[in-house]
Amino acid sequence: MAFLPCVFTVNKHKPWIETSYHGVITENMDTVLLDPPLVALDKDAPVPYAGEICAFKIYGQDAPFEAVVLNRTSGEGVLRASSPVDCESQKEYTFIIQAYDCGAGPSGADWKKSHKAVVHIQVDDVNEFSPVFRESLYKASVTEGKIYDSILQVEAWDQDCSPQYSQICNYEIVTSGTPFAIDRNGNIRNTERLSYDKQQSYKIMVTAFDCGQKRAKEDVAVHIEVKPVCKPGWQGWNKRVDYEPGTGSKQLFPKMHLETCDGPLSGVKVMVELQTNHIGKGCDRETYSEKSLQKLCGAASGSTDLLPAPSPSTNWTASLLTDSGRDSDLIYRFDGRQAANVPDHVVPQNLTDQFTVATWMKHGPSPGLRAEKETLLCNSDKTEMNRHHYSLYVHNCRLVFLLRRDFTQVDTFRPAEFHWKLEQICDKEWHYYVINVEFPAVTLFVDGVTYEPYLVTDDWPIHASKIDTQLTVGACWQGLKNKREKKHITYLSSTPRFTQYFHGSLSGLTIRPGRIETQKVISCLQACKEGLDINSLESLAKDIKFHFNPAQSVLVVEGEDVDSINTAMTKVSYINSRQFPTAGLRRLHITTTVQCFGEDTCLSIPDIKAVVMVLPPSEPRITIIGSNRLVRPASDLRGPLGVAPFKELHITSTVMKGDSFGGCECRDMFFLTTVQPGVMEVMHNLDYCDVLVIGEELNPDRESLEIHHSALLGKHLDATNSTSGISIYGVDSMAHYEQALRQVRYRNWRPATLSERRFRLTCSELNGRYTSNEFNLEVSVLHHSAPVEHVNHMAAQPQYMRPVHHPLMIHSLNSHIPAPPAATVVIVVCIAALVVIVVIGVYRIHATHQEGSRDEEEEVKDPEVDWNNSALTITVNPMEVTLNVGAKSLKSRNNQTQWDAKPGLRC
């Protein structure tokens, strides 16, 4: 048995460490960074145990640290926190540390310890606390009109221990758009002079940041009251007034009064201006089509719309630029590169000595030093020559109308060019221009005001020629090919083209031959539907004078007494008579002039700027309902009146309850009934209904879709039709449109070739701003059955009947009786067939005579055959089956309308 030798070491030396250490620890962390590092050395190394470091011990009162040996051989150690360290509780720690070796053997006997070293630990702060304001609310008051260096001071503090995180480095006003500022010390000042009339108090929120940019956990409120001083001006008015559609007249300043600081006054003059240039064409006007507006205003018929909405029949405006988003108001914008040729079939061929040209125009100053002519309307030679027969153009902010007569009309020097120089031509605003021609006199109306030409130029008439003319919009057509010569060779330098392009916007360009427009119609066509008004005129004082401009956008009120002026201003109101007005802002500008005794002016009254907010109207939902399928016999379609496809048509319009009516009294413009919970029926006008043919266009040789003129009498309606359908237009009630559509007749005098004809109906209000559903209708023909020559039911079945199989012979109850021979059966059948054929011939002749007489009587009695409440009896060949369908009827697809045949109808 072997024994290991016993090793005995001698621990001669004690460990050695530094005499002092400096450390840093971040609060809430456990690792201490020491300088120098914690290392213990022993001269007994590398002797085991005696030369190794086994422990570090800390001596100090409640020192929350411990030292741990990392490597016994090298003597490396680490100092760490034994419990959380908080800078706010204690910023520094000082304690003693000693190192111990491992002694003379494994038992640790005869260990030695180092000398004592001083350890100084500094706790680094963490920005864990947010600033807190010392007050929960700050209040202050200021006098209006003054600038303050400091209105008040707010103060916040921070619980962090270090100067970096405990000090407040910055304050900030959180509320945006306030006339206040704050410095880094918390002093609040105003950045502009405050006005009591504008705002009596301010509530602003303030926050604070420490030097570590940590924001206050809760912002603090600061209330600043503005104290008034006596200052002349209007008080008690609101900057915004909301207007609900259909409410009629709305007071703008019900509590407004003028403060004059007790100054002796001799007179007050107030001008209220409603600014609507950004709405539509200068203000809120009806946005119906030009034809509908003329019909509504009682204009004479026969005008030609040269800038209609693009459609298959009016496609010459399809390439022009339009201004969208204007409430369905059709506006064309010309930028000097667009123009349109009006088709020859649209152009009025003979203007005569009386005619009218009208248009809306928005135009600004022409670019360049030498402005070119800008043509709105031009009728010139199509080819070979460049003669202008008549045109309307702008040149150097002058409006010029050119009219060259033919030698066939006059043969002397006559007036040809008429010039007007007006500010409206180049002010970049919308104006309505009407030129009434009663040759040789020409009169211009601008916004309903008459202007005579300042210059009239005479010229010789144009020589007659066979050259066709071209009417253009937005430029002038140059039909002559210019020639140039080079080395005695003639070249064609250009092709016919547009020249003298227009820069601006146009709308509603029309020409009416043979008639001039009356002042009443012109005023109606350009009338604004919104403006200023005064309520209760009888309650105004006798010294009050007031007057409006023609458009009622400017109101001037004058008086000697301030109280009378105050009363008058509370009566000023805004009114919009449109059922569906254009939503948005209307600006109000009020200027005031005050006169004192013996002085021209004595007080300066600040201008007022306010807005009227027209709220969006309820969106009406126009619905067309009725029978979607119409089945008629061919005789009805061939009749002189045809059939009425839309006889049972109904048009309704509904809005969601509470959309925009909110409690307003709308009875003067609306007739409301509850359709179902949340939905109300509303009555309003329509401006057109279009019946379009789906599929192939109508063939004029065999069919027509039309409405008799008598159906439009007593209504503000007119109609046009083509092979594509029929259009009924004009501003009128839905009831009148229903009546008119029910009178639309479809005829087909060759119905044998027709299986079905489909139509699509849509209606509109405000020129397409609100449109109905697409109502589709199918007209089918109830064809007569063709004559049957054979009596075999299996060989020929009657049309529209279910095949019924019958036995060729009837068996007796005694099945044992033998069947007759085949030859006998054939003979009997042949004789019976011969007799039946003779009877049928006589019967058909008699029936045809009676049917013709009955059809004539029914056409006189009622243009539409009444098919209801009768049985349908269909008689076929006597050898076939006679079917009596009883009270059953052919019904429309939606089971709304029954079309039952008269008794005894033969197919």
Side-chain angles (χ1 to χ4, degrees):
M1 183 175 181
F3 294 93
L4 293 174
C6 184
V7 179
F8 295 96
T9 61
V10 179
N11 190 5
K12 298 180 179 180
H13 304 91
K14 62 180 181 180
W16 177 89
I17 59 176
E18 299 287 349
T19 58
S20 65
Y21 294 90
H22 292 276
V24 177
I25 184 173
T26 302
E27 66 174 336
N28 302 324
M29 305 293 288
D30 60 355
T31 303
V32 179
L33 300 178
L34 284 177
D35 183 25
L38 182 59
V39 178
L41 302 176
D42 198 315
K43 292 183 178 181
D44 293 325
V47 177
Y49 301 108
E52 297 176 350
I53 304 301
C54 276
F56 293 98
K57 291 188 178 180
I58 293 175
Y59 302 94
Q61 185 175 3
D62 298 328
F65 297 97
E66 62 180 1
V68 179
V69 177
L70 298 179
N71 192 317
R72 294 170 56 174
T73 303
S74 64
E76 294 180 41
V78 64
L79 186 65
R80 62 191 181 191
S82 60
S83 61
V85 179
D86 187 8
C87 177
E88 287 73 34
S89 300
Q90 188 170 342
K91 297 181 180 180
E92 296 180 347
Y93 293 90
T94 301
F95 52 86
I96 302 299
I97 191 171
Q98 284 184 301
Y100 289 79
D101 61 17
C102 295
S107 62
D110 195 21
W111 50 264
K112 296 183 181 298
K113 61 181 178 180
S114 69
H115 60 272
K116 295 180 179 179
V118 179
V119 181
H120 181 74
I121 303 297
Q122 180 180 348
V123 181
D124 276 357
D125 189 18
V126 174
N127 195 7
E128 57 184 330
F129 292 98
S130 301
V132 178
F133 285 95
R134 297 192 182 276
E135 303 288 342
S136 60
L137 176 66
Y138 291 87
K139 293 182 179 181
S141 61
V142 296
T143 302
E144 65 172 345
K146 294 179 61 177
I147 297 293
Y148 291 81
D149 294 331
S150 177
I151 298 175
L152 79 161
Q153 183 182 23
V154 297
E155 185 180 1
W157 66 286
D158 197 307
Q159 298 182 30
D160 288 311
C161 64
S162 64
Q164 178 183 3
Y165 299 138
S166 64
Q167 293 183 359
I168 306 301
C169 283
N170 191 25
Y171 292 90
E172 184 177 309
I173 296 177
V174 179
T175 308
S176 61
T178 61
F180 299 98
I182 190 170
D183 61 17
R184 60 185 305 169
N185 296 320
N187 294 306
I188 298 177
R189 60 183 178 86
N190 57 321
T191 57
E192 62 183 48
R193 300 182 188 277
L194 304 180
S195 172
Y196 177 82
D197 295 335
K198 181 178 180 181
Q199 192 165 340
Q200 291 81 35
S201 64
Y202 294 86
K203 178 182 178 181
I204 60 176
M205 301 301 294
V206 177
T207 190
F209 296 88
D210 61 22
C211 295
Q213 294 304 307
K214 194 175 186 67
R215 180 173 173 169
K217 188 175 182 180
E218 293 183 0
D219 302 334
V220 69
V222 179
H223 290 180
I224 300 177
E225 292 186 3
V226 181
K227 294 182 178 181
V229 295
C230 186
K231 181 180 179 181
W234 291 101
Q235 298 179 4
W237 56 277
N238 294 324
K239 190 173 182 179
R240 167 171 165 164
V241 179
D242 288 342
Y243 181 83
E244 293 185 356
T247 55
S249 183
K250 176 69 176 288
Q251 286 181 275
L252 297 175
F253 316 108
K255 298 181 180 180
M256 188 169 72
H257 62 278
L258 180 63
E259 178 60 61
T260 60
C261 298
D262 298 327
L265 307 179
S266 62
V268 180
K269 180 179 179 181
V270 184
M271 184 174 71
V272 184
E273 181 182 2
L274 178 67
Q275 299 174 348
T276 60
N277 293 335
H278 61 291
I279 302 295
K281 295 192 288 287
C283 67
D284 208 1
R285 295 182 169 92
E286 296 292 4
T287 55
Y288 295 115
S289 66
E290 200 62 29
K291 282 188 176 181
S292 297
L293 280 176
Q294 291 179 358
K295 188 78 174 177
L296 184 65
C297 290
S301 60
S303 67
T304 301
D305 190 357
L306 302 181
L307 284 177
S311 68
S313 60
T314 58
N315 57 2
W316 69 88
T317 59
S319 63
L320 300 180
L321 300 177
T322 59
D323 279 346
S324 59
R326 290 186 177 270
D327 204 15
S328 301
D329 209 356
L330 185 60
I331 295 173
Y332 289 95
R333 179 167 52 87
F334 297 84
D335 59 0
R337 290 175 293 182
Q338 288 85 22
N341 280 331
V342 181
D344 292 340
H345 69 275
V346 177
V347 180
Q349 299 301 317
N350 184 13
L351 293 182
T352 70
D353 287 341
Q354 286 188 341
F355 62 93
T356 300
V357 178
T359 185
W360 285 95
M361 182 177 73
K362 180 180 180 182
H363 182 265
S366 302
L369 296 177
R370 184 179 178 183
E372 299 293 334
K373 293 181 179 180
E374 300 178 54
T375 302
L376 287 74
L377 177 69
C378 180
N379 183 269
S380 59
D381 291 328
K382 185 176 292 188
T383 58
E384 301 182 23
M385 304 181 73
N386 284 333
R387 299 177 303 173
H388 294 186
H389 297 259
Y390 61 88
S391 67
L392 180 64
Y393 61 90
V394 175
H395 189 213
N396 289 326
C397 292
R398 291 167 173 82
L399 187 67
V400 182
F401 180 67
L402 170 69
L403 179 61
R404 300 284 303 277
R405 314 299 291 178
D406 294 339
F407 259 112
T408 57
Q409 297 171 315
V410 293
D411 57 357
T412 59
F413 215 49
R414 301 300 297 272
E417 278 191 342
F418 305 84
H419 300 249
W420 293 270
K421 184 178 181 181
L422 304 173
E423 294 180 357
Q424 295 93 320
I425 297 172
C426 289
D427 65 358
K428 297 183 180 180
E429 302 290 347
W430 281 105
H431 299 285
Y432 187 55
Y433 299 83
V434 178
I435 296 178
N436 273 348
V437 178
E438 287 183 288
F439 194 80
V442 177
T443 304
L444 172 67
F445 293 84
V446 180
D447 298 331
V449 180
T450 306
Y451 295 93
E452 296 297 332
Y454 80 95
L455 175 64
V456 178
T457 305
D458 294 341
D459 203 348
W460 289 103
I462 293 178
H463 291 279
S465 67
K466 297 183 179 180
I467 301 174
D468 294 332
T469 59
Q470 177 64 61
L471 182 62
T472 56
V473 176
C476 201
W477 181 255
Q478 181 176 295
L480 176 63
K481 296 182 179 181
N482 297 326
K483 296 182 179 181
R484 60 185 179 89
E485 292 187 358
K486 183 177 181 182
K487 293 183 179 181
H488 308 292
I489 301 177
T490 301
Y491 297 91
L492 294 177
S493 61
S494 64
T495 58
R497 59 189 178 90
F498 289 114
T499 60
Q500 302 174 6
Y501 283 98
F502 178 69
H503 297 76
S505 298
L506 297 176
S507 178
L509 177 58
T510 62
I511 185 169
R512 175 183 284 106
R515 297 285 295 271
I516 61 172
E517 211 60 271
T518 64
Q519 177 78 47
K520 181 179 178 181
V521 171
I522 294 173
S523 299
C524 175
L525 290 173
Q526 61 90 36
C528 290
K529 295 298 181 180
E530 63 179 340
L532 299 173
D533 193 14
I534 292 184
N535 294 331
S536 305
L537 294 177
E538 63 278 358
S539 63
L540 297 180
K542 295 181 179 180
D543 65 318
I544 293 296
K545 301 177 182 178
F546 67 91
H547 62 272
F548 293 92
N549 68 334
Q552 284 193 228
S553 60
V554 177
L555 167 65
V556 178
V557 180
E558 297 180 78
E560 300 176 357
D561 182 62
V562 175
D563 292 337
S564 299
I565 289 290
N566 290 337
T567 302
M569 291 301 294
T570 60
K571 305 294 182 181
V572 177
S573 60
Y574 169 82
I575 187 170
N576 194 316
S577 60
R578 293 191 67 193
Q579 188 170 2
F580 303 105
T582 303
L585 292 176
R586 274 75 162 164
R587 292 178 176 84
L588 289 168
H589 188 202
I590 301 177
T591 57
T592 308
T593 304
V594 177
Q595 293 181 342
C596 295
F597 292 99
E599 301 180 23
D600 293 336
T601 57
C602 56
L603 293 178
S604 177
I605 306 298
D607 292 353
I608 288 180
K609 292 184 178 180
V611 295
V612 177
M613 173 61 77
V614 178
L615 302 178
S618 295
E619 299 281 337
R621 182 177 181 180
I622 306 171
T623 306
I624 304 175
I625 58 175
S627 175
N628 296 97
R629 182 178 177 86
L630 178 66
V631 180
R632 281 291 198 236
S635 60
D636 285 4
L637 273 72
R638 282 195 303 263
L641 297 179
V643 296
F646 306 104
K647 186 175 182 180
E648 298 194 358
L649 181 79
H650 292 283
I651 304 175
T652 60
S653 183
T654 56
V655 296
M656 297 301 296
K657 193 173 183 179
D659 273 358
S660 180
F661 299 106
C664 68
E665 293 296 332
C666 309
R667 306 302 180 187
D668 56 336
M669 297 180 62
F670 297 86
F671 177 76
L672 299 174
T673 57
T674 301
V675 177
Q676 60 186 39
V679 179
M680 300 190 74
E681 184 175 354
V682 58
M683 303 301 294
H684 57 78
N685 291 328
L686 300 176
D687 59 349
Y688 69 80
C689 286
D690 289 340
V691 181
L692 300 178
V693 178
I694 303 176
E696 296 184 0
E697 293 188 355
L698 297 175
N699 188 341
D701 294 334
R702 63 170 181 261
E703 57 184 339
S704 68
L705 183 69
E706 56 190 14
I707 182 172
H708 196 271
H709 179 69
S710 60
L712 305 178
L713 292 178
K715 306 178 181 67
H716 297 288
L717 299 178
D718 208 340
T720 58
N721 64 340
S722 65
T723 57
S724 300
I726 187 170
S727 177
I728 303 175
Y729 61 90
V731 182
D732 212 332
S733 64
M734 291 187 293
H736 281 180
Y737 267 93
E738 276 188 4
Q739 296 171 11
L741 287 168
R742 291 172 182 175
Q743 297 301 317
V744 173
R745 316 294 298 191
Y746 172 69
R747 290 186 63 203
N748 191 314
W749 40 95
R750 297 179 187 175
T753 60
L754 178 68
S755 59
E756 64 180 15
R757 171 60 79 181
R758 293 182 296 156
F759 302 99
R760 177 174 297 157
L761 170 63
T762 56
C763 293
S764 155
E765 165 66 335
L766 295 177
N767 202 21
R769 179 178 173 185
Y770 306 115
T771 56
S772 70
N773 60 309
E774 292 183 349
F775 177 75
N776 296 314
L777 172 69
E778 181 179 300
V779 178
S780 301
V781 181
L782 185 63
H783 291 285
H784 294 296
S785 298
V788 180
E789 297 181 359
H790 303 284
V791 298
N792 191 336
H793 294 277
M794 301 302 296
Q797 292 291 342
Q799 288 183 317
Y800 309 111
M801 296 184 183
R802 180 175 299 177
V804 180
H805 299 279
H806 301 278
L808 292 179
M809 61 183 64
I810 300 176
H811 299 276
S812 67
L813 295 177
N814 188 358
S815 59
H816 299 285
I817 299 177
T824 305
V825 174
V826 172
I827 293 172
V828 171
V829 171
C830 291
I831 295 173
L834 180 61
V835 173
V836 167
I837 290 174
V838 173
V839 172
I840 287 176
V842 175
Y843 180 75
R844 283 186 175 177
I845 293 173
H846 179 69
T848 302
H849 177 72
Q850 286 187 339
E851 186 176 11
S853 302
R854 182 166 56 252
D855 288 343
E856 292 178 357
E857 293 175 358
E858 289 176 353
E859 288 178 2
V860 173
K861 178 181 178 181
D862 188 358
E864 284 200 61
V865 181
D866 183 10
W867 293 75
N868 294 320
N869 302 321
S870 60
L872 174 61
T873 302
I874 303 177
T875 305
V876 297
N877 194 306
M879 294 300 294
E880 298 180 31
V881 180
T882 300
L883 297 180
N884 185 356
V885 189
K888 294 183 181 180
S889 58
L890 297 176
K891 297 185 179 179
S892 61
R893 186 164 47 194
N894 59 3
N895 295 325
Q896 290 185 353
T897 305
Q898 294 184 345
W899 306 105
D900 297 345
K902 289 289 185 180
L905 176 65
R906 297 162 183 82
C907 298

